[in-house]
């Protein structure tokens, strides 16, 4: 904006011309040109024009214009590779002019807030964050006093305060100030200020890891962009956010659009173009396009070097060198990589994160070169950059992660330091160094846990869990090695904790919520509102993810607005809960991680053995625990995932070679454990690709050996999502109480009027109708088939039934797992697609869920969650006792297994035992069921207890009732006869 005021007297004094004359080299013209150059981003030319104009006003003591010119010149200096003394002089000159002449020349007051803002920027570059924050507050106070609340300066000052608090990791304060800035900007209708506020708010959400809201807000910043340079900036940031959540093609598209705009605005390489190029390099690399990434990286480095010294001090050139060094290191050329990282160190960039990245890469290179101690000091150099005032006394020191300028570095620097410390400990046989290594990893875990608990977005929690998987790999590996060295079972207990942290975290959080709601007297209305928001937000997010390409722009915008409204409403509700129900809020999000002894005592039966797996690409860690002993093993996992997928395909497709594949995987994951197993009942907590296969089908002898034996025949098995979740469920069930009765549903797929309207891929299911008919003969309850088997009925009945049996088709969505759904009959209120995200929003306290569709236990594996399947959704909703399937099965063969299972339940057998008996019955009594394709697809996850029903097989007990009534009648008759004799 051009704030220039004409001063004819200044022109006369400087140039000896009359006030009415116009000259091209007047300060008026110079400053007008400077303003235009500044607005266009030509900061070097703008700075020179301001400096040329300044002496004219200084000679006549025109303090107003002196203040104006120096204020903007000082701001321009920050965008240029000038020496620190030039920047310092410009900033302090502007500030001193205004400070000295506030009283004498009141016009300078209008620039006072801006001068204070520039002072805060100056101290920020100096890493004096306390003085930076102090000047931000002074600028805000000055803007409110001089310009008023409804002013551009006030909006900018609040915006700067938000950015300053964000840099310190004080996210709550940051968002408060940025929201105030946005509110003022919206009231004033200033699109540029609205853009800056939304852009910064999106950045804060991204720093928090809340990428869903970050993307939503960044899209709003795109809408608010008032000019091409801001539009390019918003698209660049939006593209980077999409890459962050692995939506690479969308991210690359936005980045290319941003780059096209920035190339159009400049005929040479600029910082902005450089930034977008780096984001594209990153996006190509993350999406597996390594060659395109490498070619673009070489291109941009060559272009920057050719323009020296323009980029000699650029953070972007430093980042480019960091990328190059990392790529060369990954190619196995550590010495060459060190040369590239040395080039990065020669760049005088002011960016803390760029410098930290350089030191991180340097540490990895030095590690590869065997220079362990030098690598440790490189990590310490990174800490010094990221933590103001941090001065390590030794390479074992770690900073307070809460003070780090970028907390995400705890997931890279802390584990690297831990690995290096353990290497050094091995080199010099120093046990204390190994303990220091463990302490470092534990600090990283604290940072991850605290960060995850601060996120309200499920997507962000999933990302944090995925990123922290390598940390838990390191922690479990460390505890294994320490256990092998010391024999101290404390290390087994700690390893169990980290194994559990990698499984079913969202299920645990929701079970916590249910428990907290019962214990802390929170209004059911508030709990229901929270659940409703979660479901509605998931619905609109799914629409935006999956349907945008086929929907009108108006509909997409309407979804975005509604999603924005729901998100803000959910935030407000969380604020209310935190303030009014603090104990509930804390419990709702707390990760309650019980120790191994508690889980063994309260979850594992006395005659059971618990086997918990933790999968990495190279190792398979196994924890085995029964009532008396605990063992901690490490098995090789090289090629295991490939073998498991081969086995899964063989089972799924009913192939003859399934026996060979089964025996091979059995030898890898189970046979080495058998000498440690003393019981015939097993609790299995699988991880990684092991989630895809049923253990029952493992062939325990080579194919062709006699007698032929499946693991099913030797052991009774049940699964758990995690031991901690199972323990939590016990507490929740006690509070919720037991539900009785059966609700069974089987819609039609025969094309009739009452049939589900589904694609041709879903054929008729006559077997499903038989299942419901058979249940109707065994139990009391609600049995819905055909037109009555509606989604609406399910939602009405799911909170009041003891058993939920759903016999229908499953539509799997691999791209968006939450869109996987069971097909039921639609109504005017519901579409008949019972989505995973909808199940997440239900309350299902059933004793058992039997999901008799195809693939109901199969889903995308996510770190920290397991397989995101329909079974996972039922557990989240409060029903972790589920029978599920891992692949499609023939409809006409299912009813036999289902009937035997329920008959065994009605006899009082536990759920795991009943399913085992049903499988053995089918295997032994029907030649059609010999191949494990037919019977092993069914798996049970949950507890051992029998199902309690209000009435078991009523006809079986009818004769007892009749006999009892006859006996009572006879007794009364005899008594009456004797009384009246």
């Amino acid at each position: 904006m051009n704030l220039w005021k004409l001063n004819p007297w200044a022109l006369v004094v400087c140039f000896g011309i009359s006030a009415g004359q116009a000259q091209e080299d007047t300060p008026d013209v110079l400053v007008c040109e400077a303003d235009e150059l500044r607005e266009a981003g030509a900061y070097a030319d703008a700075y020179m024009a301001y400096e040329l104009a300044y002496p004219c006003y200084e000679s006549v003591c025109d303090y107003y214009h002196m203040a104006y010119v120096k204020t903007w010149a000082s701001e321009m200096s920050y965008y240029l590779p000038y020496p620190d003394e030039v920047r310092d002089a410009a900033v302090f000159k502007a500030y001193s002019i205004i400070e000295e002449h506030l009283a004498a020349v009141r016009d300078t007051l209008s620039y006072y807030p801006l001068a204070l803002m520039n002072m805060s920027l100056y101290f920020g570059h100096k890493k004096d964050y306390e003085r930076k924050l102090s000047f931000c507050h002074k600028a805000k106070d000055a803007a409110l006093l001089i310009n008023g609340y409804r002013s551009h300066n006030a909006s900018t000052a609040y915006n700067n305060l938000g950015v300053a608090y964000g840099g310190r990791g004080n996210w709550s304060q940051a968002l408060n100030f940025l929201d105030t800035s946005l509110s003022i900007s919206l009231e004033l209708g200033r699109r540029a200020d609205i853009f800056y506020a939304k852009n910064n708010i999106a950045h804060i959400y991204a720093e928090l890891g809340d990428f869903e809201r970050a993307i939503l807000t960044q899209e709003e910043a795109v809408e608010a962009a008032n000019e091409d340079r801001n539009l390019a900036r918003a698209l660049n940031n939006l593209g980077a956010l999409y890459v962050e959540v692995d939506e690479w093609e969308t991210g690359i598209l936005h980045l290319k659009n941003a780059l096209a705009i920035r190339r159009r605005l400049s005929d040479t390489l600029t910082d902005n173009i450089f930034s977008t190029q780096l984001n594209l390099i990153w996006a190509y690399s993350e999406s597996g396009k390594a060659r395109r990434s490498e070619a673009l990286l070489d291109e941009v480095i060559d272009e920057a070097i050719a323009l020296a010294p323009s980029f000699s001090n650029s953070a972007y050139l430093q980042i480019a060198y960091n990328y190059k060094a990392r790529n060369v290191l990954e190619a196995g050329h550590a010495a060459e990589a060190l040369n590239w990282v040395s080039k990065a160190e020669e760049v005088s960039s002011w960016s803390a994160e760029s410098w930290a990245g350089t030191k991180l890469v340097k540490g990895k290179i030095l590690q590869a070169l065997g220079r362990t101690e030098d690598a440790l000091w490189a990590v310490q150099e990174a800490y010094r950059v990221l933590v103001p005032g941090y001065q390590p006394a030794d390479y074992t020191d770690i900073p307070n992660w809460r003070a780090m300028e970028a907390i995400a570095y705890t997931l890279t620097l802390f584990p690297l330091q831990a690995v290096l410390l353990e290497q050094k400990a091995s080199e010099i046989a120093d046990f204390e160094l190994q303990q220091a290594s463990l302490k470092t990893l534990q600090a990283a875990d604290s940072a991850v846990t605290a960060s995850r608990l601060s996120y309200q977005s499920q997507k962000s929690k999933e990302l944090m869990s995925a990123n922290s998987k390598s940390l838990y790999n390191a922690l479990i590996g460390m505890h294994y090695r320490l256990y092998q060295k010391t024999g101290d079972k404390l290390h087994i207990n700690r390893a169990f904790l980290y194994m559990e942290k990698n499984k079913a975290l969202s299920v645990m959080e929701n079970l916590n919520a249910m428990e907290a709601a019962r214990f802390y007297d929170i209004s059911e209305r508030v709990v229901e509102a929270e659940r409703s928001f979660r479901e509605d937000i998931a619905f609109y997010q799914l629409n935006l993810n999956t349907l945008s390409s086929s929907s009108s722009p108006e509909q997409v915008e309407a979804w975005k607005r509604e999603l924005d409204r729901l998100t803000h409403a959910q935030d407000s509700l969380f604020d209310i809960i935190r303030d009014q129900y603090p104990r509930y809020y804390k419990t709702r999000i707390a990760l309650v991680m019980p120790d191994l002894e508690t889980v063994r005592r309260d979850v594992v039966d006395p005659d059971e053995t618990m086997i918990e797996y933790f999968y990495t690409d190279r190792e398979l860690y196994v924890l085995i625990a029964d009532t008396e002993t605990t063992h901690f093993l490490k098995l090789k996992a090289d090629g295991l995932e490939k073998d498991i997928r081969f086995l899964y395909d063989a089972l799924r497709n009913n192939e003859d070679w399934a026996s060979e594949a089964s025996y091979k995987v059995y030898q890898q994951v189970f046979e080495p454990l058998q000498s440690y197993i003393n019981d015939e009942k097993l609790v299995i907590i699988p991880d990684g690709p092991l989630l895809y296969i049923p253990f029952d089908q493992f062939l325990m002898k080579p194919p062709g050996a006699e007698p032929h034996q499946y693991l099913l025949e030797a052991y009774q098995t049940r699964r758990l999502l995690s031991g901690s979740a199972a323990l939590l469920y016990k507490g929740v069930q006690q509070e919720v109480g037991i539900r009785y009765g059966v609700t069974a549903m089987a819609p039609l797929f025969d094309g009739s009027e009452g049939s589900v309207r589904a694609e041709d891929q879903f054929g008729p299911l006559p077997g499903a109708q038989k299942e419901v008919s058979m249940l109707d003969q065994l139990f009391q309850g609600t049995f819905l088939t055909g037109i009555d088997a509606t989604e609406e009925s399910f939602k009405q009945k799911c909170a009041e039934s003891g058993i939920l049996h759903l016999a229908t088709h499953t539509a799997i969505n691999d791209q968006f797992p939450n869109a996987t759904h069971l097909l039921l009959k639609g109504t005017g209120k519901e579409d008949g697609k019972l989505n995973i995200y909808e199940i997440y929003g239900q309350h299902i306290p059933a004793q058992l869920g039997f999901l008799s569709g195809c693939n109901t236990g199969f889903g995308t594996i996510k770190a920290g969650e397991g397989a995101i399947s329909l079974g996972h959704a039922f557990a989240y909703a409060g029903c972790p006792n589920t029978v599920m399937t891992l692949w499609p099965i023939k409809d006409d063969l299912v009813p036999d297994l289902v009937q035997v299972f329920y008959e065994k339940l009605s006899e009082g057998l536990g759920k795991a035992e009943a399913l085992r008996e049903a499988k053995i019955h089918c295997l032994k009594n029907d030649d059609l069921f010999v191949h494990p394709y037919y019977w092993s697809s069914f798996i049970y996850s949950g507890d051992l207890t029998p199902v309690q029903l209000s009435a078991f097989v009523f006809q079986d007990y009818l004769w007892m009732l009749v006999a009892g009534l006859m006996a009572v009648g006879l007794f009364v008759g005899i008594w009456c006869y004797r009384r009246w004799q």
Side-chain angles (χ1 to χ4, degrees):
M1 181 179 65
N2 186 0
L3 297 176
W4 179 254
K5 289 186 178 181
L6 291 176
N7 190 320
W9 174 244
L11 304 185
V12 172
V13 173
C14 265
F15 297 99
I17 59 175
S18 67
Q21 290 176 306
Q23 300 274 336
E24 286 188 358
D25 54 354
T26 63
D28 222 6
V29 174
L30 283 170
V31 175
C32 285
E33 290 179 352
D35 288 342
E36 291 174 359
L37 290 166
R38 168 171 55 82
E39 290 288 338
Y43 301 130
D45 292 337
Y47 177 84
M48 293 304 299
Y50 284 131
E51 287 296 309
L52 284 172
Y54 180 78
C56 301
Y57 301 108
E58 186 179 35
S59 66
V60 293
C61 300
D62 185 346
Y63 300 120
Y64 176 84
H65 293 99
M66 288 165 64
Y68 179 84
V69 168
K70 278 297 180 184
T71 297
W72 283 116
S74 67
E75 184 155 309
M76 295 302 95
S77 69
Y78 285 108
Y79 298 99
L80 302 169
Y82 290 165
D84 287 346
E85 56 268 21
V86 174
R87 293 174 178 163
D88 296 353
V91 170
F92 278 102
K93 189 64 177 177
Y95 179 60
S96 62
I97 291 170
I98 298 174
E99 280 279 299
E100 291 171 13
H101 302 288
L102 277 175
V105 186
R106 291 189 57 81
D107 278 347
T108 59
L109 279 173
S110 59
Y111 300 113
Y112 191 42
L114 184 56
L116 292 169
M117 293 177 203
N118 285 337
M119 288 294 287
S120 72
L121 188 62
Y122 162 76
F123 284 114
H125 284 306
K126 290 292 185 183
K127 301 191 183 303
D128 188 342
Y129 297 110
E130 291 305 318
R131 295 184 73 181
K132 171 185 177 178
L133 191 60
S134 174
F135 272 97
C136 280
H137 279 288
K138 288 180 180 178
K140 184 260 296 182
D141 294 340
L144 293 176
L145 180 64
I146 297 167
N147 308 112
Y149 179 81
R150 296 182 71 257
S151 68
H152 166 59
N153 274 351
S155 171
T156 303
Y158 277 111
N159 184 80
N160 290 349
L161 267 170
V163 173
Y165 274 104
R168 298 163 70 92
N170 191 330
W171 313 119
S172 178
Q173 281 280 62
L175 287 173
N176 284 338
F177 284 121
L178 288 170
D179 282 340
T180 301
S181 174
L182 178 60
S183 176
I184 295 170
S185 301
L186 288 169
E187 192 173 348
L188 294 175
R190 292 180 59 91
R191 283 191 64 188
D193 291 348
I194 293 170
F195 162 77
Y196 287 120
K198 286 186 176 293
N199 202 64
N200 287 330
I201 290 171
H203 176 74
I204 294 296
Y205 282 143
E207 285 294 315
L208 276 167
D210 199 338
F211 291 102
E212 284 179 289
R213 280 189 290 181
I215 288 172
L216 179 65
T217 309
Q218 193 64 55
E219 287 176 338
E220 292 172 349
V222 170
E223 295 290 331
N226 61 320
E227 52 188 24
D228 281 349
R229 66 188 180 95
N230 283 343
L231 177 59
R233 181 179 178 183
L235 288 170
N236 176 75
N237 295 349
L238 183 59
L241 288 170
Y242 273 112
V243 175
E244 195 76 53
V245 298
D246 296 343
E247 294 188 26
W248 298 302
E249 293 306 318
T250 303
I252 288 170
L253 177 63
H254 286 309
L255 291 171
K256 284 183 174 180
N257 289 337
L259 182 61
I261 296 171
R262 287 178 164 174
R263 285 291 192 189
R264 189 174 70 245
L265 294 174
S266 175
D267 57 1
T268 188
L269 184 67
T270 64
D271 279 348
N272 288 335
I273 292 173
F274 209 153
S275 170
T276 304
Q277 294 276 54
L278 289 174
N279 281 335
L280 270 171
I281 289 164
W282 169 51
Y284 286 140
S285 177
E286 289 294 304
S287 60
K289 300 174 182 177
R291 290 185 178 179
R292 295 187 69 178
S293 175
E294 191 67 27
L296 186 56
L297 179 58
D298 289 338
E299 178 185 317
V300 74
I301 288 176
D302 290 344
E303 190 175 3
I305 292 173
L307 293 171
S310 299
F311 292 96
S312 299
N313 301 316
S314 167
Y316 300 117
L317 181 58
Q318 188 173 33
I319 293 170
Y321 283 142
N322 291 344
Y323 280 1
K324 187 67 178 179
R326 182 201 64 186
N327 292 348
V328 172
L329 175 64
E330 290 177 353
H333 308 299
E336 183 186 349
L338 190 60
N339 291 332
W340 282 105
V341 89
S342 296
K343 291 179 182 292
E345 289 182 310
E346 292 170 6
V347 178
S348 302
S349 161
W350 51 264
S351 169
E353 292 197 32
S354 300
W355 270 107
T358 297
K359 301 304 180 183
L360 173 64
V361 175
K362 183 178 181 180
K364 291 182 176 180
I365 294 169
L366 292 170
Q367 178 191 23
L369 291 170
R371 296 165 56 182
T372 309
E373 191 165 331
D374 291 339
L376 281 163
W377 281 114
V379 172
Q380 292 297 336
E381 290 172 18
Y383 290 151
R384 278 199 293 265
V385 171
L386 292 169
V387 183
Y390 173 71
Q391 291 297 330
D394 188 66
Y395 55 62
T396 62
D397 289 354
I398 55 174
N400 181 349
W401 57 266
R402 292 178 179 84
M404 294 182 76
E405 284 293 298
I407 291 177
Y409 270 97
T410 56
L411 283 173
T412 51
L413 285 169
F414 280 34
L416 175 59
Q417 183 186 9
V419 169
L420 291 167
L421 285 171
E422 190 172 21
Q423 287 179 358
K424 190 65 178 176
S426 178
E427 290 171 12
I428 63 176
D430 187 334
F431 183 70
E432 289 186 2
L433 279 182
Q434 194 166 29
Q435 291 297 316
S437 174
L438 181 58
K439 180 181 177 183
T440 305
L441 289 173
Q442 289 170 339
D445 173 55
S446 296
V448 167
T449 301
S451 298
R452 192 180 192 279
L453 294 181
S454 70
Y455 302 157
Q456 295 171 358
S457 158
Q458 182 58 33
K459 179 69 172 178
S460 301
K461 291 178 179 182
E462 290 171 3
L463 282 167
M464 175 57 73
S465 296
N467 291 332
S468 60
K469 178 68 185 283
S470 61
L471 170 63
Y472 293 133
N473 290 354
L475 276 162
I476 292 168
M478 174 77 72
H479 282 292
Y480 175 79
R481 291 186 290 277
L482 287 169
Y483 174 65
Q484 293 299 309
K485 181 178 293 186
T486 66
D488 187 345
K489 292 198 174 180
L490 169 67
H491 297 297
I492 295 182
N493 292 326
R494 298 299 297 179
F496 171 75
L497 170 69
Y498 298 124
M499 287 181 175
E500 289 283 290
K501 277 195 172 185
N502 189 57
K503 298 180 176 78
L505 292 179
S506 67
V507 170
M508 291 180 62
E509 287 166 357
N510 202 48
L511 290 173
N512 264 341
M514 296 177 189
E515 187 173 36
R518 297 313 188 279
F519 283 122
Y520 299 139
D521 300 323
I522 188 171
S523 165
E524 181 61 32
R525 179 179 55 84
V526 176
V527 176
E528 188 58 40
E530 179 193 350
R531 185 179 298 116
S532 177
F533 278 133
R534 185 170 57 246
E535 178 180 340
D536 290 346
I537 287 171
F539 170 76
Y540 280 99
Q541 187 63 58
L542 183 68
N543 276 337
L544 286 171
N545 286 340
T546 61
L547 305 178
S548 297
S549 60
S550 61
S551 304
S552 68
E554 294 79 11
Q555 183 64 66
V556 173
E557 286 305 311
W559 284 333
K560 288 181 178 178
R561 288 194 298 271
E562 182 62 12
L563 182 58
D564 187 32
R565 184 193 70 78
L566 289 166
T567 301
H568 282 87
Q570 185 187 50
D571 289 344
S572 299
L573 179 63
F574 280 139
D575 289 340
I576 292 171
I577 294 173
R578 183 172 53 245
D579 294 340
Q580 297 183 13
Y581 309 99
R583 295 176 65 195
Y584 168 79
Y585 184 82
K586 182 178 179 181
T587 304
R588 190 188 69 80
I589 64 173
L591 293 179
V592 178
M593 307 301 293
D595 60 21
L596 174 59
E597 185 56 38
T598 302
V599 171
R600 178 160 51 183
R601 182 187 65 241
D602 295 339
V603 173
V604 182
D605 213 51
D607 58 350
E608 280 187 309
T609 297
M610 182 179 76
I611 304 174
E612 177 150 11
Y613 291 91
F614 182 87
Y615 172 81
T616 76
D617 291 337
R618 295 183 178 180
E619 291 92 21
L620 184 66
Y621 292 98
V622 189
L623 193 152
I624 307 170
D626 56 29
T627 54
E628 298 179 355
T629 62
T630 306
H631 307 280
F632 191 14
L633 309 179
K634 182 176 74 170
L635 310 177
K636 290 183 179 180
D638 292 331
L640 177 59
E641 183 170 4
K642 180 180 177 181
D643 290 339
I644 288 176
R645 291 190 179 279
F646 186 76
L647 169 59
Y648 177 81
D649 289 340
L651 292 169
R652 188 181 193 276
N653 296 311
N654 195 9
E655 300 287 355
D656 293 337
W657 37 265
S659 296
E660 288 80 1
S662 175
Y663 183 65
K664 182 178 181 181
V665 176
Y666 162 78
Q667 288 179 298
Q668 292 172 282
V669 306
F670 194 86
E671 188 176 49
L673 318 182
Q674 281 193 267
S675 61
Y676 303 99
I677 299 173
N678 300 315
D679 301 302
E680 294 182 355
K681 295 181 181 179
L682 305 178
V683 183
I684 297 172
I685 306 176
D687 188 40
L690 289 171
L691 288 158
Y692 288 145
I693 55 171
F695 278 53
D696 281 350
Q697 55 73 40
F698 278 147
L699 200 59
M700 299 180 68
K701 293 183 179 181
E706 294 295 338
H708 191 83
Q709 187 177 37
Y710 291 106
L711 188 139
L712 169 74
E713 299 169 278
Y715 298 98
Q716 173 188 302
T717 65
R718 64 181 173 116
R719 292 192 184 203
L720 293 176
L721 292 172
S722 79
S724 304
L727 184 63
L728 262 179
Y729 176 67
K730 288 187 69 174
V732 170
Q733 190 180 46
Q734 289 174 1
E735 293 302 315
V736 171
I738 296 175
R739 301 298 194 271
Y740 300 100
V742 176
T743 294
M745 306 178 73
L748 289 171
F749 292 88
D750 58 5
S752 65
E753 185 176 346
S755 172
V756 172
R757 301 300 179 190
E759 292 82 357
D760 293 338
Q761 68 192 73
F762 299 114
L765 293 177
Q769 307 296 313
K770 292 180 182 177
E771 291 176 41
V772 174
S773 176
M774 175 269 300
L775 285 166
D776 192 6
Q777 295 174 17
L778 283 174
F779 305 115
Q780 292 184 335
T782 302
F783 305 95
L784 305 173
T785 59
I787 197 171
D788 297 320
T790 66
E791 180 184 0
E792 188 173 348
S793 296
F794 170 83
K795 290 181 177 179
Q796 292 170 352
K797 295 289 185 180
C798 67
E800 59 188 49
S801 302
I803 293 178
L804 283 169
H805 185 98
L806 301 178
T808 183
H809 280 298
T810 307
I812 300 293
N813 190 320
D814 291 324
Q815 185 178 9
F816 301 104
N818 283 350
T820 291
H821 55 270
L822 290 166
L823 286 163
L824 296 169
K825 181 63 179 171
T827 59
K829 186 177 180 181
E830 303 287 353
D831 62 6
K833 296 178 180 180
L834 183 59
N835 296 282
I836 281 181
Y837 73 81
E838 291 181 286
I839 297 172
Y840 282 151
Q842 300 299 311
H843 177 47
I844 307 179
Q847 297 179 61
L848 172 67
F850 197 119
L851 307 180
S852 183
C854 300
N855 299 298
T856 53
F858 185 90
T860 302
I861 294 175
K862 293 186 178 180
E865 298 299 340
I868 304 302
S869 64
L870 288 158
H872 184 278
F874 265 71
Y876 185 95
C879 179
N881 299 328
T882 52
V883 177
M884 305 167 283
T885 60
L886 291 177
W887 55 79
I889 43 180
K890 290 188 176 181
D891 172 69
D892 58 340
L893 299 176
V894 174
D896 291 339
L897 185 146
V898 171
Q899 179 167 355
V900 176
F901 170 74
Y902 279 109
E903 286 175 349
K904 296 299 181 181
L905 279 186
S906 69
E907 294 171 8
L909 270 64
K911 297 177 280 288
E913 187 178 2
L915 184 60
R916 180 181 183 233
E917 291 291 328
K919 289 181 178 181
I920 290 176
H921 171 83
C922 294
L923 178 64
K924 299 295 186 182
N925 294 283
D926 193 331
D927 291 341
L928 290 175
F929 277 88
V930 171
H931 196 285
Y933 157 80
Y934 296 104
W935 50 265
S936 69
S937 175
F938 289 91
I939 58 171
Y940 170 67
S941 179
D943 62 34
L944 278 175
T945 59
V947 173
Q948 298 181 45
L949 294 167
S950 57
F952 288 101
V953 199
F954 181 77
Q955 59 268 33
D956 289 350
Y957 295 94
L958 183 60
W959 68 269
M960 295 176 63
L961 178 61
V962 172
L965 289 173
M966 290 177 64
V968 169
L970 179 61
F971 172 79
V972 170
I974 293 172
W975 180 81
C976 290
Y977 173 78
R978 289 181 176 177
R979 180 181 178 90
W980 295 107
Q981 285 296 319

